[in-house]
Amino acid sequence: MATVTVAFTEVQKLIREKLVSAGISEDQAGKIADILIHADLRGVNSHGALRTEHYMKRLKAGGINPTPDISFNQTGPVTGVVDGDDGFGHVVADIAMKHAIQMAKENGVGMVTAMNSSHCGALSYFVQEATEQQLIGIAMTHTDKIVVPFGGRESFLGTNPIAYGVPAKSEKPFILDMATSNVALGKILQHKEEGKAIPEGWGVDKNGASVTNPSDVVSLMPFGGPKGSGLSMIVDIFSGLLAGMAFGPHINPMYEELEKKRKLGHYFCVINPSFFTDAENFLEQMDRMIQEIRDVPAGEGFSQVLVPGEIEQKNEERNRKQGVQLAETTYEYLKNQ
């Protein structure tokens, strides 16, 4: 599949215009566009502009509320719940994270669940919001079933991603954003869109056999066997059950029944290091940790040890200057207003 390189500001503008044309407010459309372009800038195209067409289809079918009445109920000094009223998950999640940040500033910790939400995009965006204020951010969200539990043949779990963001003093923040499956479903869809084969171990067919044709994928595998399977359950508990939402096979699917509201849940936690230790020393020690990890002698086939998120940060620096790479079909869709 052919690709094109486009200035990120143009892609951001096209996404925003597409959403506004469908009845989404300028503020909400701007936030959604910010989060999608964040993913494309980092080279995580599976969570970027590619998703716009799907969102538009679900919006048109009635599966997303274009004018939600999003509310926040602070249930304690460091806890709260956001009700997304079935709006765009990007907006719902951003509101939840901002409330968690505020509570962490005031009381050391902030924990917020979000309910009645939808797909919220790359979690790295939200934990990065915390690091920009020298706070630690944690984010989780569940998804509909697509991953087989360890030892199983049929899917039960979602890709159920989890993200951590930790600030440093002079180094860029440590950002770990990962699915609990071997790979995010979006990467399978991206390879399918681009006509590329997928590596062994990414997806399995109806019989549980590994396949390389993305069109043959029925389920994904958890990373690390029972470890990934267990972490996936944790994400479902924190972002699903704790938010009063469904889990695993009971979650409304993303790419089917587009007229149904997703009713997704998210979990956000923000920690203020200054309530636990000397904040300046914490940031300096993070710098030291990152620098010393880089200094570890590289193993065979590697030129240097990198910390999680470093490749994506380098991608963003380059793509802000050179433009983001999109599937040509995605770019043409965005331009067709």
Side-chain angles (χ1 to χ4, degrees):
M1 181 67 67
T3 61
V4 293
T5 301
V6 188
F8 82 92
T9 51
E10 180 185 351
V11 179
Q12 193 173 21
K13 177 174 177 289
L14 289 173
I15 295 171
R16 186 173 63 251
E17 290 175 348
K18 199 81 170 179
L19 292 165
V20 170
S21 71
I24 304 303
S25 70
E26 287 278 0
D27 286 347
Q28 288 195 61
K31 177 55 64 177
I32 297 163
D34 286 350
I35 295 171
L36 294 182
I37 201 63
H38 160 86
D40 282 319
L41 281 168
R42 289 168 62 84
V44 188
N45 302 94
S46 58
H47 285 61
L50 171 72
R51 298 274 183 162
T52 310
E53 185 172 5
H54 166 72
Y55 296 146
M56 293 290 284
K57 288 179 179 177
R58 182 170 283 279
L59 186 65
K60 185 177 180 180
I64 298 177
N65 181 359
T67 56
D69 180 17
I70 302 172
S71 61
F72 174 66
N73 177 28
Q74 186 161 343
T75 56
V78 298
T79 57
V81 178
V82 168
D83 188 333
D85 194 27
D86 300 309
F88 272 92
H90 314 72
V91 179
V92 176
D94 188 62
I95 290 172
M97 176 53 89
K98 281 181 167 55
H99 281 293
I101 287 172
Q102 187 58 41
M103 287 188 287
K105 286 181 175 180
E106 295 172 356
N107 297 308
V109 176
M111 288 182 282
V112 178
T113 58
M115 61 189 295
N116 297 323
S117 187
S118 60
H119 188 261
C120 66
L123 293 181
S124 56
Y125 180 92
F126 308 107
V127 297
Q128 185 170 295
E129 284 189 303
T131 66
E132 288 169 354
Q133 301 192 50
Q134 297 188 335
L135 304 169
I136 297 170
I138 303 171
M140 305 180 198
T141 186
H142 61 179
T143 67
D144 51 305
K145 67 170 188 173
I146 189 64
V147 180
V148 294
F150 181 69
R153 179 183 296 181
E154 296 181 356
S155 60
F156 182 94
L157 303 165
T159 54
N160 292 3
I162 184 170
Y164 290 82
V166 185
K169 186 172 183 179
S170 59
E171 294 286 344
K172 291 184 181 299
F174 170 96
I175 303 287
L176 173 64
D177 182 0
M178 53 175 263
T180 50
S181 55
N182 252 345
V183 67
L185 177 60
K187 290 191 180 295
I188 302 286
L189 299 176
Q190 182 185 352
H191 277 65
K192 183 177 180 179
E193 177 78 9
E194 296 175 358
K196 297 179 181 178
I198 59 173
E200 289 277 351
W202 276 21
V204 297
D205 61 18
K206 63 182 179 180
N207 298 314
S210 181
V211 294
T212 57
N213 184 341
S215 296
D216 294 336
V217 172
V218 174
S219 302
L220 306 178
M221 293 291 288
F223 86 91
K227 297 178 182 179
S229 199
L231 272 178
S232 184
M233 287 184 66
I234 290 293
V235 173
D236 236 343
I237 292 166
F238 274 68
S239 60
L241 303 187
L242 195 60
M245 298 288 97
F247 65 88
H250 307 289
I251 297 172
N252 291 330
M254 184 167 186
Y255 294 102
E256 300 172 20
E257 301 175 321
L258 300 184
E259 73 284 356
K260 288 188 177 181
K261 305 296 193 294
R262 296 292 310 284
K263 301 292 182 183
L264 294 183
H266 318 302
Y267 170 82
F268 301 94
C269 176
V270 178
I271 300 168
N272 188 337
S274 69
F275 277 68
F276 299 88
T277 186
D278 179 79
E280 188 70 11
N281 182 64
F282 176 83
L283 297 174
E284 290 171 352
Q285 288 291 83
M286 277 301 301
D287 275 359
R288 182 179 177 185
M289 175 185 280
I290 291 169
Q291 291 158 5
E292 289 187 4
I293 285 178
R294 286 204 199 100
D295 289 340
V296 172
E300 185 176 352
F302 295 88
S303 59
Q304 184 186 21
V305 176
L306 300 176
V307 298
E310 192 166 358
I311 291 175
E312 290 82 2
Q313 288 162 347
K314 291 178 184 296
N315 287 342
E316 181 171 357
E317 288 179 3
R318 181 191 67 245
N319 293 339
R320 281 186 177 276
K321 299 174 183 177
Q322 299 180 4
V324 296
Q325 191 174 72
L326 303 179
E328 193 172 53
T329 51
T330 298
Y331 182 50
E332 290 302 320
Y333 171 78
L334 292 175
K335 288 197 301 180
N336 181 15
Q337 299 291 342

